[in-house]
Amino acid sequence: MGTLFASEGDRCGWPGAMLFDLDGTLIDSAPDIAAAVNELLSTEGLPRQTLEDVRAMIGNGVVKLVERAYAACGIVLAGESLDRRVSVMMDIYARHLTNLTIVLPGALEMISAYAKASVKIAIVSNKPHAFTQQIVEHYGFAPHLAAIQGADAALRTKPHPDMLHATLKAMDMPLSRALFIGDSSTDAAAAKAAGMPVVIVRSGYGHDGKNDFHADVFCASLHELPQAIEKLKSTA
């Protein structure tokens, strides 16, 4: 990982900012997403997908989700045909944001505690920005946040680093003081590309216990986040 801290003072004050992924890291939104996916597929008489199948489709935004859902039904989408289904999916998913979604254990507790400790907290999600904002407000994250960054046309989504860099700029926080927390290889790759350390939560969608993709530290759940941060400090 290299040297994180220029001085012991930097070590004591790190992290100054914590950027969290949303789906699979802070919330379990898979039941809502599955309901929306199956409603979309039903408009064309296509077979329903199981909750576990849909969990495996999550992580790279709505376009990839729709592409994967149709691929599971043996249909390859591209160009206008993909765009049209994505547009329909956006309308459907807007009605499935907070029906079945739950906050994951430790999520609000950790975010609240670190925010109270003057750490700047942000959520960075590949979910469309308006949907991300609605969800974080509904589930009580918003009062603790310094920034919210969902997918928009101006920035490439994770695994590109653009959204992470834009979030740090919005918070006026240097890269050297930032930590990313996610649950998938997409999150790990985005953090690596951005040049910041990453903690991966194994209980999320993106880790099946078999593929230890790049991460600086793994933890079983967000309850272990303080220990993961201390491990990063001790090994930097």
Side-chain angles (χ1 to χ4, degrees):
M1 182 173 58
T3 302
L4 271 176
F5 312 109
S7 68
E8 189 61 29
D10 290 339
R11 183 187 298 271
C12 295
W14 188 89
M18 295 168 67
L19 282 58
F20 288 83
D21 170 56
L22 183 60
D23 297 272
T25 301
L26 298 177
I27 60 171
D28 181 3
S29 55
D32 265 325
I33 294 173
V37 164
N38 283 320
E39 184 175 332
L40 173 66
L41 295 176
S42 73
T43 64
E44 300 182 54
L46 296 172
R48 292 178 60 83
Q49 301 299 302
T50 69
L51 177 59
E52 289 310 308
D53 287 340
V54 174
R55 282 187 195 278
M57 300 174 188
I58 298 171
N60 296 88
V62 175
V63 175
K64 276 293 183 183
L65 174 68
V66 171
E67 185 180 320
R68 290 165 179 165
Y70 277 82
C73 300
I75 298 172
V76 177
L77 295 180
E80 189 276 333
S81 64
L82 176 58
D83 293 343
R84 179 159 45 86
R85 269 76 166 205
V86 169
S87 179
V88 175
M89 178 62 176
M90 290 287 284
D91 291 339
I92 293 172
Y93 186 41
R95 296 185 275 102
H96 291 276
L97 295 178
T98 58
N99 299 332
L100 303 171
T101 294
I102 61 170
V103 177
L104 288 170
L108 273 171
E109 177 186 343
M110 289 295 108
I111 280 183
S112 174
Y114 280 106
K116 287 178 181 176
S118 298
V119 177
K120 290 187 176 182
I121 307 296
I123 288 176
V124 182
S125 174
N126 279 350
K127 192 185 296 293
H129 184 79
F131 293 170
T132 300
Q133 191 157 13
Q134 185 174 333
I135 289 168
V136 301
E137 289 173 357
H138 179 87
Y139 289 102
F141 293 108
H144 309 295
L145 301 179
I148 301 169
Q149 181 64 66
D152 64 45
L155 298 169
R156 294 178 300 175
T157 55
K158 298 176 291 180
H160 298 286
D162 305 27
M163 297 170 74
L164 279 64
H165 287 155
T167 302
L168 291 178
K169 184 177 180 179
M171 295 192 296
D172 192 26
M173 182 62 59
L175 179 63
S176 61
R177 299 199 64 209
L179 170 67
F180 191 76
I181 302 98
D183 74 307
S184 69
S185 59
T186 300
D187 296 323
K192 183 177 181 181
M196 69 176 69
V198 58
V199 174
I200 292 294
V201 184
R202 291 186 188 273
S203 57
Y205 304 153
H207 197 284
D208 61 8
K210 298 176 183 177
N211 56 331
D212 279 350
F213 45 75
H214 170 84
D216 296 291
V217 179
F218 289 94
C219 60
S221 74
L222 285 173
H223 287 300
E224 297 182 3
L225 185 55
Q227 293 94 320
I229 290 173
E230 288 307 309
K231 184 176 181 180
L232 277 168
K233 289 181 178 182
S234 68
T235 58

